[in-house]
């Protein structure tokens, strides 16, 4: 079978892993790099630490972190402007938790003072008033979620969350999924994540692309798309990744978080 994208090359940048590396989200860059190279795509994976110019890349992965480093990262990214320019030129941007929050209009510090985001996604984050959202997060993509192809909706997204921020999705962005276990965006509408164009934000750690390889392939398809449209990537043998998903879902079921058990039995959540 010919391998779409095999004559392409991609630069993947993990943004400021020295600031936003708390939750292992740097693994998202590794997953993208491996899944691209297994398909014959040339890959350069860059760990782009803070304090130096951000490289130009096809895909940027921004991870989660504490409030202070999130603010430092947003200030530096706003000041240098490379990420906004790259996104305007069609680069793919994945933001996780603090990385998701800083893609929006504003996000809070620990005292709920508002800090300016990068304005790449129509989302706004405030400090939640309830308990910190910590634990397994499972969410089912909504009809407005992005698709790998018309007939390939994303399967349920799984991972874990750990945040106090509550994110509201504005009309220029769309939520990704509906939560069946956990909190997600936390604004009371049961949504998780947001996306617009080629910018994708989520509260899912795991790393999210290790737990949800179909999402990794969606982002790779965006990055490899040509003027003829998105590239349909050749499937990979995901036996190990699917076993990990099964093991994590079994753990969620064992934890007694029954809404997800009901959902998986085909009942209404
Ligand atoms: N500090 C942010 C919050 O608590 C983000 C946390 C994270 O990235 N996991 O909402």
């Amino acid at each position: 079978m010919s391998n779409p994208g095999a004559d392409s090359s991609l630069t993947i940048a993990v943004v400021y892993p020295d600031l936003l590396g708390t939750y292992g989200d740097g693994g998202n860059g590794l997953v993208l790099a491996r899944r691209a190279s297994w398909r014959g795509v040339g890959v350069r994976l860059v760990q782009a630490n803070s304090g130096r110019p951000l490289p130009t890349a096809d895909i940027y992965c921004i991870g989660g972190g504490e409030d202070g480093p999130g603010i430092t990262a947003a200030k530096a990214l706003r000041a240098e402007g490379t990420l906004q320019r790259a996104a305007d030129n069609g680069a793919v941007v994945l933001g996780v938790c603090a990385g998701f929050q800083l893609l929006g209009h504003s996000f809070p510090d620990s005292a709920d003072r508002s800090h300016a985001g990068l304005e790449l996604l129509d989302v706004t984050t405030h400090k939640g008033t309830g308990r910190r959202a910590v634990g397994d997060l499972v969410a089912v993509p909504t009809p407005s979620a992005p698709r790998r192809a018309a007939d390939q909706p994303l399967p349920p997204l799984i991972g874990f969350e750990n945040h106090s921020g509550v994110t509201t999705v504005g009309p220029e962005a769309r939520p990704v999924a509906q939560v069946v276990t956990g909190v997600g965006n936390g604004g009371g509408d049961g949504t998780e994540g947001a996306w617009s164009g080629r910018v994708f934000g989520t509260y899912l750690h795991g790393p999210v692309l290790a737990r949800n390889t179909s999402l990794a392939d969606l982002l790779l398809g965006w990055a490899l798309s040509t003027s003829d449209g998105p590239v349909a990537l050749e499937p990979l043998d995901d036996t190990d990744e699917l076993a990990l998903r099964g093991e994590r879902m079994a753990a969620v079921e064992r934890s007694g978080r029954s809404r997800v058990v009901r959902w998986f039995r085909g009942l209404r959540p």
Side-chain angles (χ1 to χ4, degrees):
M1 188 200 297
S2 81
N3 199 350
D7 53 357
S8 320
S9 69
L10 288 177
T11 298
I12 299 167
V14 176
V15 178
Y16 299 170
D18 53 331
L19 294 174
L20 298 173
T22 317
Y23 297 86
D25 300 315
N28 290 323
L30 197 55
V31 170
L32 289 168
R34 289 282 159 80
R35 294 184 74 81
S37 69
W38 287 337
R39 289 163 163 129
V41 177
V43 176
R44 194 165 72 98
L45 176 62
V46 185
Q47 301 297 325
N49 277 332
S50 61
R52 51 179 91 148
L54 193 70
T56 301
D58 303 291
I59 309 181
Y60 293 91
C61 299
I62 316 175
E66 289 142 2
D67 295 344
I71 293 161
T72 306
K75 274 191 184 144
L77 291 169
R78 278 173 60 86
E80 75 142 55
T82 306
L83 187 65
Q84 294 98 313
R85 278 193 298 278
D88 286 348
N89 289 329
V92 173
V93 181
L94 169 67
V96 177
C97 205
F100 171 28
Q101 297 174 358
L102 66 76
L103 293 177
H105 303 298
S106 64
F107 62 99
D109 61 19
S110 52
D112 202 11
R113 284 178 299 245
S114 180
H115 294 263
L118 301 184
E119 309 272 355
L120 292 178
L121 261 185
D122 184 12
V123 299
T124 305
T125 303
H126 298 283
K127 208 88 192 152
T129 50
R131 278 208 336 236
R132 190 174 176 85
V134 180
D136 286 300
L137 175 56
V138 181
V140 180
T142 52
S144 69
R147 290 168 178 247
R148 290 165 288 170
D151 59 346
Q152 283 185 305
L154 290 169
L157 300 172
I158 68 168
F160 68 91
E161 62 186 333
N162 187 341
H163 58 102
S164 61
V166 165
T167 298
T168 308
V169 182
E172 302 296 318
R174 280 174 283 180
V176 172
Q178 201 67 28
V179 172
V180 290
T181 292
V183 175
N185 294 335
D189 59 1
T191 63
E192 152 52 26
W195 72 289
S196 172
R198 294 179 177 188
V199 180
F200 190 102
T202 178
Y203 274 109
L204 286 157
H205 299 288
V208 61
L209 301 185
R211 301 248 190 128
N212 305 278
T213 49
S214 41
L215 178 58
D217 286 353
L218 174 98
L219 301 182
L220 284 175
W222 282 354
L224 292 168
S225 65
T226 64
S227 50
D228 296 334
V231 168
L233 292 165
E234 185 189 335
L236 295 172
D237 176 2
D238 279 337
T239 309
D240 290 343
E241 291 79 2
L242 292 174
L244 170 66
R245 281 175 69 83
E247 189 265 320
R248 293 316 309 160
M249 284 313 306
V252 173
E253 292 191 21
R254 277 198 306 276
S255 74
R257 304 182 82 175
S258 57
R259 278 196 303 154
V260 73
V261 178
R262 285 206 302 273
W263 187 83
F264 271 85
R265 285 181 187 148
L267 304 174
R268 287 177 69 81

